[in-house]
Amino acid sequence: MRQGFSSWFISMVRVSFIIPTLNQAAFLARCIDSCLAQGISDSEILVQDGGSTDGTDSVLLRYGSKVSAISEPDDGQSDAINRCIRRADGDIIAWINSDDYYPTGDVLKVVSDAFEADNDVDIVYGDGMYVDQSGNSLRRFNSFPIESPRKTLIAHPTSPCSQPALFFRRELFEKVGGLRQDLHWAMDHELWFRMFTEARKWRYIPQVFAHMTLHSDAKSVRAISKQINEVAAIKNSFLKANHGRLSEYVRVMRGTWMVRCYQLAYNSGLLKYYWRYLQKRQSTRKR
């Protein structure tokens, strides 16, 4: 992992790294190391383990007091994250799943500066990068500048924001009531509906803030059908509660169809060939 900021810096806002995990010992150290590499003098790393049996406890023991970890049964990822954030005392929440990581050591410096520059900014977000298990880039997840939360969140086929590349004030998270614990596949998307609606200001920075690992046990791989269905249900429920127009329902149907086509392309292997083609093309251009 390339480090972009090696010296420790003092941030005016306290950052809480929130890491939910369950049986992902193979990725956990990389995630924690990327949090430590941010070099924030006033920060905390909180891990909420759902009761792993794969050696996660041994990984956590290596970090001693640098990481505050709790291992206990929970009612799913949403519950684990809510529990972890209740333990947090930071101003800014950096929620990153244990199989994801920050690519450079200056990510939180950029994010903290954005929060400090304007006290009314409640959300700062950037882009993500899908990588394989070895950290090789597959494709970039370009987030969208949001002018109208309702329009963007309804129209975009999936989420317009990369989850680990989005940072928010803990006060905002608490104000909207945290994550819905009845959701398990697209809870972040539903949270964005409530947070962007309530946020005073937000800022999009077109920079890769997080690497997201695609592997066989990743939700976006093993449960993509459930994720698609849950996103559609979230959007339709929002429209039903907020006087949705026919054109908006049509956008939801169109977006759902597009994601199902993506699923077919991924399952057939066509996307992997396409990504490799793009990588070769980019490499050729750099030469």
Side-chain angles (χ1 to χ4, degrees):
M1 179 170 51
R2 182 171 61 88
Q3 303 302 327
F5 193 81
S6 57
S7 61
W8 286 71
F9 72 93
I10 299 174
S11 174
M12 293 176 63
V13 291
R14 179 167 167 77
V15 176
S16 293
F17 294 97
I18 302 299
I19 306 174
T21 191
L22 179 63
N23 291 326
Q24 295 208 331
F27 303 106
L28 182 57
R30 183 176 65 178
C31 178
I32 294 174
D33 288 343
S34 76
C35 295
L36 290 170
Q38 300 308 305
I40 306 175
S41 60
D42 186 22
S43 66
E44 60 181 357
I45 300 174
L46 307 177
V47 175
Q48 192 76 24
D49 174 33
S52 298
T53 57
D54 66 340
T56 289
D57 53 346
S58 298
V59 174
L60 291 170
L61 280 173
R62 299 179 208 162
Y63 294 94
S65 61
K66 294 179 181 178
V67 174
S68 173
I70 289 181
S71 181
E72 60 187 6
D74 56 52
D75 292 324
Q77 188 178 7
S78 295
D79 181 35
I81 295 163
N82 284 339
R83 292 187 189 199
C84 206
I85 293 180
R86 281 197 293 269
R87 291 200 282 133
D89 62 9
D91 306 297
I92 305 304
I93 298 298
W95 161 21
I96 185 159
N97 297 324
S98 54
D99 53 354
D100 301 330
Y101 62 98
Y102 302 115
T104 62
D106 63 349
V107 170
L108 266 296
K109 175 67 167 60
V110 175
V111 170
S112 295
D113 285 349
F115 278 111
E116 292 172 8
D118 189 342
N119 289 330
D120 288 335
V121 170
D122 287 326
I123 301 171
V124 174
Y125 66 104
D127 298 337
M129 179 69 75
Y130 284 114
V131 300
D132 62 20
Q133 295 186 56
S134 300
N136 299 310
S137 297
L138 297 175
R139 71 176 180 89
R140 184 163 175 155
F141 183 120
N142 290 310
S143 297
F144 279 69
I146 296 176
E147 294 182 7
S148 167
R150 174 169 176 156
K151 182 179 179 180
T152 303
L153 290 164
I154 288 297
H156 198 275
T158 55
S159 174
C161 307
S162 168
Q163 176 268 307
L166 187 147
F167 308 82
F168 51 86
R169 293 192 188 272
R170 178 167 55 91
E171 185 178 5
L172 175 64
F173 181 85
E174 294 171 345
K175 180 180 180 181
V176 302
L179 286 161
R180 275 178 49 182
Q181 294 183 191
D182 61 318
L183 300 176
H184 301 286
W185 312 104
M187 59 280 196
D188 54 336
H189 192 106
E190 194 278 334
L191 180 65
W192 304 163
F193 270 98
R194 288 180 285 127
M195 290 210 307
F196 276 99
T197 301
E198 291 292 334
R200 295 167 296 174
K201 292 182 181 179
W202 53 86
R203 183 178 173 191
Y204 167 58
I205 301 174
Q207 174 180 331
V208 173
F209 284 160
H211 279 188
M212 304 171 289
T213 309
L214 286 180
H215 55 93
S216 59
D217 196 44
K219 281 187 175 183
S220 57
V221 175
R222 66 179 170 86
I224 189 170
S225 293
K226 293 179 180 179
Q227 195 172 55
I228 292 169
N229 292 337
E230 195 163 271
V231 168
I234 288 166
K235 291 180 177 181
N236 286 321
S237 294
F238 176 84
L239 291 176
K240 185 176 181 180
N242 293 276
H243 309 289
R245 298 182 296 274
L246 176 60
S247 60
E248 291 179 308
Y249 283 103
V250 170
R251 288 193 190 101
V252 173
M253 288 193 301
R254 178 176 178 272
T256 302
W257 176 82
M258 289 173 63
V259 180
R260 292 203 183 283
C261 288
Y262 171 92
Q263 178 188 12
L264 288 173
Y266 183 87
N267 290 342
S268 67
L270 289 175
L271 273 182
K272 292 180 181 179
Y273 286 112
Y274 177 64
W275 291 340
R276 287 172 187 167
Y277 164 75
L278 288 180
Q279 285 178 315
K280 290 180 180 179
R281 189 175 178 181
Q282 290 172 356
S283 298
T284 302
R285 285 179 176 177
K286 288 179 180 178
R287 291 173 189 169

